[in-house]
Amino acid sequence: MIEMDKRINLTGFSQIELVSFIEQTGEPAYRGRQIFAALQHRRLQSFAEMSDLPRALRERLQETASTSTLTVESRYLSEDGTRRFLMKTHDNLPVETVFIPEQHRDTICFSSQSGCPLQCTFCLTAQLGLLRSLTPGEIVEQVIIALNDAYGVGETSPRGTNLVGMGAGEPFLNFDSLMKALRIMADPQGLFIVPHRVTVSTAGVVPRIRELATIPDRPNLAVSLAAPTNEMRNELMPINKKWPLEELLGACQEFEQTLKAGERFTFEYVMLDGVNDSDEQARQLANLLNRHDLHARVNLIPHNPADPLPYQPSPATRVEMFKSILESKGVRAFVRRPRGRDIFAACGQLAAVTQTVGLTAS
Ligand code: SAH
């Protein structure tokens, strides 16, 4: 029997919402601001730790509100320093988050859904199907948990934090919760991770790309292509049947035209050995982007293999050749180095895999 938590999750409240929630309980507004800072700046995960609040208030809040709804089930540490957190929601669904330390900054890769409804054939998450979309609070809490684990509760990180919405799920099929979570995390009195530190990746939900083009405070955008023709993309990413390449790239072009200084827009192209990595396909890809007058860089991601997936990563020499063909046609390209492959933490490997390798005591 699963214990359903019916209490309201304050981690998913903006500062304004938290203030009005607290005022409705008859408390002064400053208590709301205090609780927002406790959750989002001091990253406290229980009322018990908020010792600057009167005990009676804490006990009263405890009955109707919660400060944490995710529990960490296991934590895996890669030999490259990447950490994968396998968590559970209050209704017992898997949520995965990856912390990737880099020299000058850290990147936290969060999930927008438990499982994923898209059926990309090269991605392990697809095999879970969609369990459900995550709430704003569940998105924010992933970041809080990862930062607390890396640096200690509330401790500031010595490096900047970047966020990528590239974990499990399709962020643009959970657009409102995603945008709300990003606004909460951008608050200077909270986590203070501003939109230009965030990149959200979509498999190509065209209406939301168009919508993002009209939003001023928006994250950077990445669009997953994986194929240079509709025929191949239909096969690898069935979402292409709904929004085929011309429509997708038309929306991308509209988006690119609204880019402001400092904003980034990229394409992702997973490299599958012998499937989408030929010289001819590189030329097709370059022509496609040039025809749509797109200047965004292409990130080439060597496929991260997993047992049930019928693909192998393209060899490094093939990836380099593909890259140089793109470049010879004026398309900027960059080869992404996989992180955390050994602990199933790399792109497309999040499928709530439990293992004994890399498992650490938390
Ligand atoms: N649904 C979103 C975000 C999650 S996937 C999207 O599709 O963009 C994040 C990135 O990982 C995508 O670019 C996807 O193409 C890539 N990816 C998926 N499976 C992969 C795998 N097995 N190896 C390498 N990259 C993969």
Side-chain angles (χ1 to χ4, degrees):
M1 184 62 193
I2 300 165
E3 186 74 14
M4 297 288 259
D5 192 343
K6 292 270 181 261
R7 292 175 302 165
I8 193 153
N9 181 10
L10 300 187
T11 311
F13 276 20
S14 66
Q15 185 163 190
I16 291 173
E17 287 172 331
L18 198 41
V19 166
S20 86
F21 172 79
I22 288 298
E23 282 179 329
Q24 277 162 28
T25 71
E27 294 288 326
Y30 78 88
R31 288 289 184 213
R33 290 193 291 272
Q34 201 178 357
I35 295 169
F36 183 83
L39 292 170
Q40 305 283 343
H41 183 73
R42 300 166 67 199
R43 305 197 303 260
L44 302 179
Q45 295 215 273
S46 70
F47 290 118
E49 292 162 276
M50 300 180 196
S51 51
D52 50 343
L53 292 182
R55 179 187 294 268
L57 174 59
R58 283 187 272 158
E59 283 170 1
R60 203 146 42 80
L61 285 172
Q62 184 80 44
E63 282 164 26
T64 55
S66 66
T67 51
S68 161
T69 63
L70 297 177
T71 44
V72 178
E73 294 258 295
S74 25
R75 195 180 73 144
Y76 302 92
L77 182 61
S78 164
E79 51 194 31
D80 70 15
T82 299
R83 300 172 192 206
R84 175 168 70 99
F85 302 88
L86 176 55
M87 317 186 196
K88 281 274 181 333
T89 60
H90 68 91
D91 48 350
N92 216 24
L93 301 174
V95 174
E96 286 174 281
T97 312
V98 180
F99 179 89
I100 309 155
E102 283 158 305
Q103 215 178 357
H104 301 292
R105 66 214 150 95
D106 301 311
T107 299
I108 297 173
C109 177
F110 66 86
S111 295
S112 54
Q113 300 181 307
S114 179
C116 184
L118 305 182
Q119 293 176 322
C120 304
T121 55
F122 48 83
C123 180
L124 202 57
T125 311
Q127 310 211 344
L128 290 175
L130 176 65
L131 300 166
R132 73 166 163 81
S133 282
L134 299 180
T135 62
E138 288 166 338
I139 295 175
V140 173
E141 194 179 344
Q142 293 176 57
V143 176
I144 291 174
I145 287 175
L147 285 173
N148 282 350
D149 184 76
Y151 297 113
V153 176
E155 296 295 325
T156 45
S157 65
R159 299 172 283 200
T161 306
N162 288 353
L163 298 184
V164 294
M166 296 187 185
E170 168 49 47
F172 280 9
L173 292 178
N174 189 19
F175 195 74
D176 294 345
S177 296
L178 168 79
M179 294 306 285
K180 177 156 189 211
L182 296 185
R183 278 195 298 276
I184 294 169
M185 293 193 281
D187 192 316
Q189 264 115 47
L191 287 164
F192 199 15
I193 302 174
V194 295
H196 85 256
R197 291 252 156 237
V198 183
T199 301
V200 173
S201 180
T202 180
V205 180
V206 164
R208 297 291 87 78
I209 296 174
R210 295 224 158 90
E211 186 172 346
L212 199 69
T214 68
I215 296 179
D217 268 351
R218 62 189 179 194
N220 300 304
L221 178 65
V223 172
S224 302
L225 282 182
T229 62
N230 279 321
E231 197 189 359
M232 167 130 291
R233 198 163 186 269
N234 285 343
E235 200 181 299
L236 298 178
M237 300 179 71
I239 192 177
N240 194 66
K241 293 178 195 154
K242 187 154 187 186
W243 291 293
L245 279 169
E246 299 70 48
E247 229 182 294
L248 174 60
L249 295 179
C252 289
Q253 192 181 6
E254 253 175 62
F255 180 82
E256 202 175 71
Q257 282 160 1
T258 68
L259 277 184
K260 300 186 291 280
E263 290 184 324
R264 274 171 295 133
F265 176 40
T266 46
F267 289 109
E268 319 265 41
Y269 193 99
V270 55
M271 301 280 298
L272 309 168
D273 184 25
V275 176
N276 65 355
D277 62 351
S278 71
D279 292 357
E280 173 63 11
Q281 285 156 326
R283 284 190 288 270
Q284 287 173 329
L285 178 61
N287 292 342
L288 185 70
L289 298 178
N290 288 334
R291 201 162 63 238
H292 288 85
D293 197 27
L294 284 159
H295 305 284
R297 183 175 89 177
V298 179
N299 282 332
L300 300 172
I301 314 176
H303 175 64
N304 296 307
D307 250 348
L309 302 176
Y311 305 105
Q312 288 304 316
S314 306
T317 50
R318 184 85 305 266
V319 178
E320 282 309 316
M321 189 52 152
F322 198 91
K323 174 173 184 269
S324 63
I325 293 172
L326 291 180
E327 286 170 339
S328 72
K329 289 177 162 285
V331 173
R332 288 178 301 144
F334 180 86
V335 180
R336 277 241 303 251
R337 192 164 53 101
R339 298 289 304 264
R341 261 186 188 170
D342 55 333
I343 56 160
F344 284 85
C347 293
Q349 289 190 314
L350 300 184
V353 175
T354 50
Q355 50 180 171
T356 44
V357 177
L359 191 64
T360 62
S362 39

